Structure formats: structure tokens, C-alpha cells
């Protein structure tokens, strides 16, 4: 373990949190691609003149839904070469790139146009419907991508800190039961409750020698395939979008579940049977915890406390928040990648109409489940260096008025349409978001993931790292004051208006789809709706005939028309339909 006093070797730690994103996982993958490329380039230049010498490491990656899938996907790439994908020329726009697993997994997927696969009705059985959309493509991706090339194995990069902790959030439909004792005068009654937020936690090793695992963390090894199946199942479980995609079953060894620190209060009175494998049914991890940055912070604080206690065994414990929120003293931070950052709610509609109250009720339940228990003092801290965020930002030009429109958050990404499912409509949408993720990460690292001039002198990690270096080479005034890069970026000479994005079939840097390409979805949508209606329950032949007739003549057309209308409305709202 690195001693806190050994500032020459002490790394600055970054805990990565990847939020849920559905098809906008392409954006998160682009961010990760550029982050790894930037760290790799720094390592190549390390030791030469005017190169900062401090170290930055990533000990933790955690996420929910598409973010959790990307965290595990990134873990599977660390011991193989990732070749950056240059911005393609129009003739090569749709080419596949298996040499870059992040791109191949999220942009190429299993087909340029995913909707025909997702509307295929071969997964529907009589009386058994498992999801509105065919989810079999997810199994294909998991089998192909949550693995490593053992023949091309290389050591884990030095900027990832072994063993790398990787976790995903899960929504456990059965939940873990626990009880509290209530006195009723004569006896103590057990009042049972259940907890449904769950986690699959892994520690990543790259050698073949078994190690003593940390309690609660499964020792994942892509080289020996240890816990590989569990990791694949966990990736699919955290991304099982409720109703739309099928739920997933996960099996785990009880010892690892009992020891998950975030669930310790649950298992204190009601531990799992150590002899019976834990079998759980899950939907999307983002349903309960879509941005688990507080768990990443917990892990960073645990590491800090352990190192501080080892170096100062007789000293009183100090508050990691007080140290890590201040740029002059911070030793770690959380970086969250969030394609759908939260925004201020629209003015509340006080209508008591039942059809409006139902969605409000569901929305309130989800918001309450996702709310964070953060101390007010911490939430309101000014100039807090303990957490950063990378989220979508770009501009587009209105085709009619030629006005430049600034876009932020979900409206800046093409995959944001259709509640995040838009990327499955068109590969160009995913390509756009991937390169926007790379570009936003570059801007973030160059201009915003920075320290103050005061911290450059007072923070021992950076004072040592920038010693003898012309710090002006890595400075930025984007925030209004001169600040200095934590991760040095070497391509900072950008011309005004620089925006590294492909030219799409629309002829612009913003992808658009033709309306006739949307119309072709009408027939497969009708076919899937009809099969869903016919198989929603076991029926006798006569009832089946009447339901078939009703579906054929009225229902499937009515529902398909509504679906098509919603698709067009969403694409128009995102300006994704070519005029």
C-alpha cells in the first residue's frame, strides 16, 4: 500500500461512476475511449521534458444500467489493446471496428439497424411474454464482449489500480427480507421488511494465481474465466430495462452477497444461508439507483481511511470530506459520466385526473427510490473538488433560420430520443453520440478537470508533479480563472469552431433519418403487437380466434399507429427527421 507521506509515488485517484443511459451507452463508451487514450498518451510521454510526473489512477468503476454494462465492458478491455477509431470519411461511416471493443459493442452492436431484431416475434411463446421487445441481441453482445483475448494478453495499465473494483447496481424484485423486533408486552414480534436495491461487486485481477478476495467482492479474472459468467449475467441484469427488455436471473455465492458492505444492516439479523446459492430476479439497476456516485465515494473514503490509519495509527480519525472537497488537499475525486443529467422539473400540473395521477405516482416513487442521503452541508459546498460530471454538450444549426442552437444534456445526444431507445433506430445516431462523448471528454479534461493556481503550489501531489514543468502548457481559463490540468492533454491547440464529428448522410454533423425509413417499421410493429396480444394469456381456440380477429382488424393497427406517432413526435422533438 502506498504511504500517504510518499508523495512522489502517491497517486491521485479517480472513482468513475457511469449513469444509466439505454442506447446512449454509446456516449459513455466514447467518453471512456478518450479517457483511456489520454492516460495512455501521458504514460508514453512520461519522463521526458515538460511532462507532469504525478500519477493518476482509477481504482473504482461503478455504474447502473448501460453505465454498469460499460463499466464491466471497460474492465474486459484492460488487458487487450484498444485501437482508437479515427473520425470516418462519409464512405466509411458505417464500417465496423472490432479493433475497438468500446466502439464495437455500443456503436456496431449486432446490426446497423437494431429495430428489426428487437421487433422480431420469435421470442414470444403461447401464454408467456417476457418483454415488449426482443432482448436476445443483448445475450449476443454479452457473450461476445464481456470477455478478453487471452492470446493477446498484456498487463493491466499502470493508470488502473489493482485490484480494480467494478460494481453494478441491481433492482432485486424479490428483495432481501430482514426484520426489526417490536415489543408487544408478552413477546417480541418480528416486523419483516424487504430491501430491493442490490449490487454485484467484482475485483479485477489479471494474473492466474488465486488471491484472497476482499469480503463482498467476487474475484473476476478474464484470463482464467473466474466469475466470468456471473459478470455477464450481472451486466445483462443491470441493463434489463423494465417491461421493455426481459428481466434477468443472477446466481451468486452467498458468502459474497452476505459481505456486501452496503447491505450489512440487512444481513446482520437475517444472513443468507451459506450453503444455498443466491438466486435473484432483476430488472434495470437504474430503477432504484441510476447514478451511484455515493457508492463510489464510499469506496474512495474507505481507501483513504485505511491509508491514513496505517500511516497515523495513534491519530484521531479525520473526515475524508473535509480533505477531499478542498483542491489544496484533495487526494481523490468522483467523476460521473451521465448522458441524462437531472434537470429542474417542469412546473407541476395539479390536475387530479386519474390518467395524469398514475404517471405522477410512478414518477414520485422512482424519484424517492433514487434520492440520495447526502448531508446538506456536503451538497451545498462551494468549489467542491470531490465530484465532477461529464455530460453531453454541443450546438446545432437550424436548417431554416441558420440560427445556432446550444444543446445540453439529453437534447445534445441523438440517442436521447424515445426515452433513450433512439439509438436503436439508426447507427448514425450511435456514431454521433460516441464521438460527442470523446469530444466532451477532451474538453472536460483540458478545461474543467483542473486545479486552482493555489492548489498547484499547496497540494503536495500536484506541486511535486508539476515541479520543473512549464505549467502554462497545461493551463486553461475556461472557468474564468487560470487553472491547471489534472490529466495533461497534449492536443490543446484547437482552432476556433473545432468540432471533431463525422459528416452524416444528412450532409451535416447532426444525424437525421428520413420519414420513409421510419414508415418501414410500421409492419413489424403491427406484427409484434399482434403476437403480444395473442399470447398474453393461455386461451382456448374460440377465444384465440376472436382475439386474433380483433387484433387483426382493430387493436394492432390502433396500437401500432400510436407507437408510430410517438416515434415521429420524439424524433421531431430531437430534430432527427430530415426535412
Amino acid at each position: 500500500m502506498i504511504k500517504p507521506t510518499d508523495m512522489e509515488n502517491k497517486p491521485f485517484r479517480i472513482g468513475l461512476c457511469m449513469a444509466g443511459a439505454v442506447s446512449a451507452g454509446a456516449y459513455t463508451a466514447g467518453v471512456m475511449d478518450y479517457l483511456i487514450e489520454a492516460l495512455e498518451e501521458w504514460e508514453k510521454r512520461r519522463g521526458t521534458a515538460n511532462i507532469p510526473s504525478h500519477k493518476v489512477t482509477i481504482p473504482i468503476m461503478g455504474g447502473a444500467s448501460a453505465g454498469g454494462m460499460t463499466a464491466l465492458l471497460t474492465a474486459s478491455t484492460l488487458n487487450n489493446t484498444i485501437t482508437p477509431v479515427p473520425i470516418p470519411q462519409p464512405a466509411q461511416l458505417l464500417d465496423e471496428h472490432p479493433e475497438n471493443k468500446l466502439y464495437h459493442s455500443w456503436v456496431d452492436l449486432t446490426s446497423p439497424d437494431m429495430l428489426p431484431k428487437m421487433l422480431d416475434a420469435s421470442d414470444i411463446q403461447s401464454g408467456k411474454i417476457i418483454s415488449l421487445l426482443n432482448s436476445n441481441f443483448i445475450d449476443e453482445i454479452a457473450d461476445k464482449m464481456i470477455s478478453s483475448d487471452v492470446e493477446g494478453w498484456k498487463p493491466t495499465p499502470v493508470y488502473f489500480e489493482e485490484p480494480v473494483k467494478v460494481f453494478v447496481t441491481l433492482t432485486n424484485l424479490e428483495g432481501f427480507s430482514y426484520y426489526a423486533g417490536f415489543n408487544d408486552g408478552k413477546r417480541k414480534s418480528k416486523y419483516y421488511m424487504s430491501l430491493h436495491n442490490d449490487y454485484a461487486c467484482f475485483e479485477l485481477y489479471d494474473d492466474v494465481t488465486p488471491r484472497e478476495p476482499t469480503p463482498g467482492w467476487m474475484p473476476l479474472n478474464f484470463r482464467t474465466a473466474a466469475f466470468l459468467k456471473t459478470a455477464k449475467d450481472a451486466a445483462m441484469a443491470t441493463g434489463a430495462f423494465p417491461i421493455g427488455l426481459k428481466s434477468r436471473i443472477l446466481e451468486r455465492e452467498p458468502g459474497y452477497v452476505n459481505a456486501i458492505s452496503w447491505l450489512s444492516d440487512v444481513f446482520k439479523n437475517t444472513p443468507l444461508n451459506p450453503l444455498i446459492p443466491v438466486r435473484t430476479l432483476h430488472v434495470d439497476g437504474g430503477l432504484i439507483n441510476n447514478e451511484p456516485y455515493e457508492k463510489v465515494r464510499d469506496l474512495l473514503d474507505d481507501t483513504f481511511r485505511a491509508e491514513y490509519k496505517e500511516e497515523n495509527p495513534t491519530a484521531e480519525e479525520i473526515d475524508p470530506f473535509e480533505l477531499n472537497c478542498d483542491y489544496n488537499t484533495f487526494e481523490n475525486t468522483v467523476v460521473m459520466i451521465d448522458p441524462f443529467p437531472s434537470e429542474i422539473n417542469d412546473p407541476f400540473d395539479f390536475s387530479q385526473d386519474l390518467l395524469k395521477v398514475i404517471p405522477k405516482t410512478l414518477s414520485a416513487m422512482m424519484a424517492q427510490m433514487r434520492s440520495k442521503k447526502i448531508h446538506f452541508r456536503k451538497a451545498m459546498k462551494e468549489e467542491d473538488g470531490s465530484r465532477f460530471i461529464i455530460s453531453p454538450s454541443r450546438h446545432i444549426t437550424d436548417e431554416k433560420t441558420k440560427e445556432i442552437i446550444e444543446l445540453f444534456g439529453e437534447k445534445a445526444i441523438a440517442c436521447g430520443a424515445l426515452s433513450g431507445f433512439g439509438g436503436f433506430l439508426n447507427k448514425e445516431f450511435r456514431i454521433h453520440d460516441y464521438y460527442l462523448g470523446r469530444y466532451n471528454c477532451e474538453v472536460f479534461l483540458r478545461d474543467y478537470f483542473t486545479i486552482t493556481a493555489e492548489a498547484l503550489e499547496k497540494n503536495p501531489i500536484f506541486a511535486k508533479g508539476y515541479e520543473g514543468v512549464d505549467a502554462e502548457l497545461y493551463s486553461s481559463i475556461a472557468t474564468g480563472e487560470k487553472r491547471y490540468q489534472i490529466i495533461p492533454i497534449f492536443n490543446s491547440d484547437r482552432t476556433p469552431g473545432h468540432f471533431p464529428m463525422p459528416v452524416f448522410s444528412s450532409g451535416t454533423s447532426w444525424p437525421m433519418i428520413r420519414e420513409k425509413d421510419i414508415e418501414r417499421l410500421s409492419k413489424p410493429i403491427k406484427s409484434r403487437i399482434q403476437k403480444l396480444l395473442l399470447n398474453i394469456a393461455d386461451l382456448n381456440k374460440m377465444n384465440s380466434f376472436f382475439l386474433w380477429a380483433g387484433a387483426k382488424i382493430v387493436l394492432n393497427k390502433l396500437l401500432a399507429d400510436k407507437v408510430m406517432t410517438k416515434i415521429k413526435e420524439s424524433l421531431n422533438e430531437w430534430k432527427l427527421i430530415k426535412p
Side-chain angles (χ1 to χ4, degrees), residues 128-296:
K128 184 180 180 183
I129 297 173
I130 55 177
S131 57
L132 290 182
L133 297 169
N134 190 321
S135 310
N136 291 337
F137 75 97
I138 298 175
D139 299 76
E140 294 179 48
I141 294 171
D143 286 338
K144 185 167 59 173
M145 298 305 175
I146 308 295
S147 62
S148 288
D149 175 15
V150 177
E151 297 299 321
W153 197 264
K154 66 175 187 178
T156 300
V158 295
Y159 42 84
F160 279 90
E161 191 171 327
E162 288 190 273
V164 184
K165 283 183 164 60
V166 186
F167 73 88
V168 300
T169 64
L170 302 166
T171 297
N172 186 329
L173 293 183
E174 179 184 14
F176 295 117
S177 294
Y178 65 102
Y179 66 85
F182 280 77
N183 293 316
D184 65 358
K186 296 182 179 178
R187 61 188 178 86
K188 180 173 283 190
S189 297
K190 291 181 178 179
Y191 174 65
Y192 283 91
M193 295 169 282
S194 62
L195 190 73
H196 297 269
N197 56 311
D198 194 357
Y199 309 89
C201 305
F202 303 90
E203 279 187 332
L204 182 65
Y205 296 94
D206 71 351
D207 56 21
V208 295
T209 305
R211 302 193 194 184
E212 186 67 27
T214 301
W217 295 83
M218 294 173 274
L220 174 61
N221 191 316
F222 287 99
R223 200 172 188 179
T224 64
F227 290 92
L228 182 56
K229 183 181 184 306
T230 309
K232 287 180 182 179
D233 290 342
M236 292 187 287
T238 192
F241 194 89
I243 302 174
L245 302 175
K246 72 177 179 182
S247 58
R248 299 286 178 167
I249 293 174
L250 182 62
E251 290 193 0
R252 289 166 286 174
E253 296 180 19
Y256 292 111
V257 182
N258 268 325
I260 295 174
S261 60
W262 301 313
L263 302 178
S264 59
D265 289 343
V266 174
F267 299 128
K268 183 177 181 180
N269 290 332
T270 52
L272 299 169
N273 189 323
L275 303 178
I276 301 176
V278 180
R279 193 167 188 261
T280 45
L281 179 65
H282 300 274
V283 293
D284 197 298
L287 183 66
I288 291 180
N289 193 347
N290 197 52
E291 294 111 352
Y293 60 84
E294 80 287 0
K295 303 304 179 189
V296 177

Side-chain angles (χ1 to χ4, degrees), residues 401-474:
T401 65
K402 303 303 178 184
E403 177 187 1
I404 295 177
I405 304 170
E406 298 275 349
L407 298 174
F408 301 97
E410 63 180 23
K411 288 296 176 65
I413 51 175
C415 293
L418 297 171
S419 301
F421 279 81
F424 297 127
L425 274 173
N426 190 297
K427 184 175 180 178
E428 291 191 20
F429 296 174
R430 306 192 297 271
I431 294 170
H432 171 274
D433 289 2
Y434 185 86
Y435 284 105
L436 184 66
R438 282 183 52 85
Y439 173 65
N440 285 169
C441 185
E442 177 193 335
V443 172
F444 170 76
L445 295 179
R446 186 178 68 239
D447 294 332
Y448 300 101
F449 193 49
T450 54
I451 56 172
T452 62
E454 183 182 24
L456 191 65
E457 296 181 0
K458 292 186 176 181
N459 190 304
I461 293 176
F462 301 106
K464 181 69 177 177
Y466 271 95
E467 188 176 41
V469 175
D470 181 3
E472 296 304 307
L473 295 172
Y474 310 101

Side-chain angles (χ1 to χ4, degrees), residues 16-37:
L16 294 177
C17 172
M18 304 180 207
V22 198
S23 66
Y27 177 86
T28 305
V31 171
M32 287 304 303
D33 188 30
Y34 188 86
L35 176 60
I36 292 172
E37 183 180 334

Side-chain angles (χ1 to χ4, degrees), residues 244-405:
L245 302 175
K246 72 177 179 182
S247 58
R248 299 286 178 167
I249 293 174
L250 182 62
E251 290 193 0
R252 289 166 286 174
E253 296 180 19
Y256 292 111
V257 182
N258 268 325
I260 295 174
S261 60
W262 301 313
L263 302 178
S264 59
D265 289 343
V266 174
F267 299 128
K268 183 177 181 180
N269 290 332
T270 52
L272 299 169
N273 189 323
L275 303 178
I276 301 176
V278 180
R279 193 167 188 261
T280 45
L281 179 65
H282 300 274
V283 293
D284 197 298
L287 183 66
I288 291 180
N289 193 347
N290 197 52
E291 294 111 352
Y293 60 84
E294 80 287 0
K295 303 304 179 189
V296 177
R297 168 51 55 199
D298 287 346
L299 296 170
L300 289 173
D301 288 349
D302 288 346
T303 299
F304 170 80
R305 288 191 185 95
E307 288 187 344
Y308 183 80
K309 186 174 182 179
E310 182 179 354
E311 182 64 23
N312 306 278
T314 60
E316 293 184 7
E317 185 174 324
I318 63 174
D319 184 358
F321 168 74
E322 295 294 345
L323 182 126
N324 285 306
C325 73
D326 188 334
Y327 288 103
N328 292 338
T329 56
F330 76 153
E331 299 177 3
N332 60 58
T333 193
V334 176
V335 173
M336 183 164 74
I337 308 167
D338 195 347
F340 300 115
S342 299
E343 298 178 354
I344 297 175
N345 294 332
D346 293 331
F348 189 73
D349 178 6
F350 285 87
S351 171
Q352 294 174 291
D353 182 273
L354 180 61
L355 294 180
K356 292 186 177 181
V357 169
I358 289 173
K360 289 175 188 172
T361 303
L362 295 174
S363 178
M365 291 169 63
M366 287 184 60
Q368 181 60 37
M369 287 190 296
R370 291 177 173 181
S371 64
K372 312 291 185 185
K373 295 179 180 178
I374 298 178
H375 195 284
F376 181 79
R377 174 177 62 93
K378 298 182 179 181
M380 299 302 292
K381 176 74 177 180
E382 295 285 346
E383 277 293 302
D384 183 359
S386 69
R387 55 185 183 266
F388 291 81
I389 186 171
I390 306 175
S391 56
S393 173
R394 69 152 292 166
H395 66 267
I396 63 172
T397 303
D398 188 281
E399 289 293 315
K400 294 180 180 179
T401 65
K402 303 303 178 184
E403 177 187 1
I404 295 177
I405 304 170

Side-chain angles (χ1 to χ4, degrees), residues 425 513-523 525 563-564 567-568 571-572 576-578:
L425 274 173
I513 191 172
R514 297 172 299 180
E515 189 160 351
K516 70 177 185 179
D517 292 327
I518 304 171
E519 292 293 344
R520 65 188 170 80
L521 298 173
S522 180
K523 186 175 179 179
I525 287 174
V563 171
M564 290 295 293
I567 290 174
K568 291 178 183 179
L571 293 178
N572 272 312
L576 291 168
I577 295 183
K578 191 174 179 64

